[in-house]
Amino acid sequence: MTDDSVAVELDFGDDELIPAIAQDVETNEILMLAYVSPDALEETQNTGLAHYYSRSRDELWQKGGSSGHRQHVEEIHVDCDGDALLYRVEQEGGACHTGYESCFYRTLDGETVGEKIFDPNEVYE
Amino acid sequence: MTDDSVAVELDFGDDELIPAIAQDVETNEILMLAYVSPDALEETQNTGLAHYYSRSRDELWQKGGSSGHRQHVEEIHVDCDGDALLYRVEQEGGACHTGYESCFYRTLDGETVGEKIFDPNEVYE
């Protein structure tokens, strides 16, 4: 039996990472998917700002740390198996480094369906 | 330069799996996160029904194959890096095997925030 009053146990798996979906708390739009380490999750909870773990750079990072496009985390949900997270966020600026509001701005066929809201050349120097 | 008229190249990584988020196309609610192999993606595209790859059972599976709670995939989006997918779906029944509409029915603190819409004992025999 699961006791609903206790914190949910997470399964970080062999690589100590768990995928986290960032969703706009107002529009429910999905903004991005990134990975979270135990430290990244703790930093997110301590600061209220979304932190992730970069697999390519092998480091903890704060979303918006360089661009200013921070994510204020209002709620964190966890899935039934405890191996995926949902960050419900208020997004400053756009979530995608390409300038789009969401990283999921294309269909699989290459059609652009998302909205470009900033010029990455002006944000990332 | 990316040519928007060609299909997006996907990065399935070393394990040949890519995470896919299933989102309700009407409410934008996030229903579940699961993994997709190249074969699972092809089956999804061929049938219009969401297919995934189970890491624990090591096999391709069709969502709703046993429960009847199928996902009709209306659009597939891909993220900027080509290493995450978004299935925009019409969900029959509930997405979660626990009876909830979404697998993300709890907060990290264990509070239930989702809606239970079926009795799993009646669906899974």
Side-chain angles (χ1 to χ4, degrees), chain B residues 8-59:
Chain B
V8 176
E9 195 171 336
L10 296 178
D11 176 8
F12 279 93
D14 294 338
D15 56 3
E16 285 288 290
L17 295 174
I18 211 170
I21 306 159
Q23 180 181 38
D24 188 299
V25 74
E26 283 166 27
T27 65
N28 278 343
E29 184 173 9
I30 295 176
L31 299 170
M32 57 185 278
L33 182 144
Y35 293 84
V36 170
S37 62
D39 285 350
L41 179 58
E42 193 178 338
E43 275 296 291
T44 300
Q45 291 180 294
N46 287 344
T47 63
L49 295 169
H51 287 70
Y52 300 97
Y53 193 87
S54 168
R55 297 180 301 173
S56 55
R57 299 195 307 273
D58 204 16
E59 65 178 18

Side-chain angles (χ1 to χ4, degrees), chain A residues 13 16-17 52-53 68 71 83:
Chain A
E16 285 289 291
L17 295 174
Y52 301 97
Y53 194 87
Q71 295 174 335
D83 60 6

Side-chain angles (χ1 to χ4, degrees), chain A residues 12-33:
Chain A
F12 279 93
D14 293 339
D15 56 3
E16 285 289 291
L17 295 174
I18 211 169
I21 306 158
Q23 180 181 38
D24 188 298
V25 75
E26 283 166 28
T27 64
N28 277 343
E29 185 173 8
I30 295 175
L31 299 169
M32 57 184 277
L33 183 144

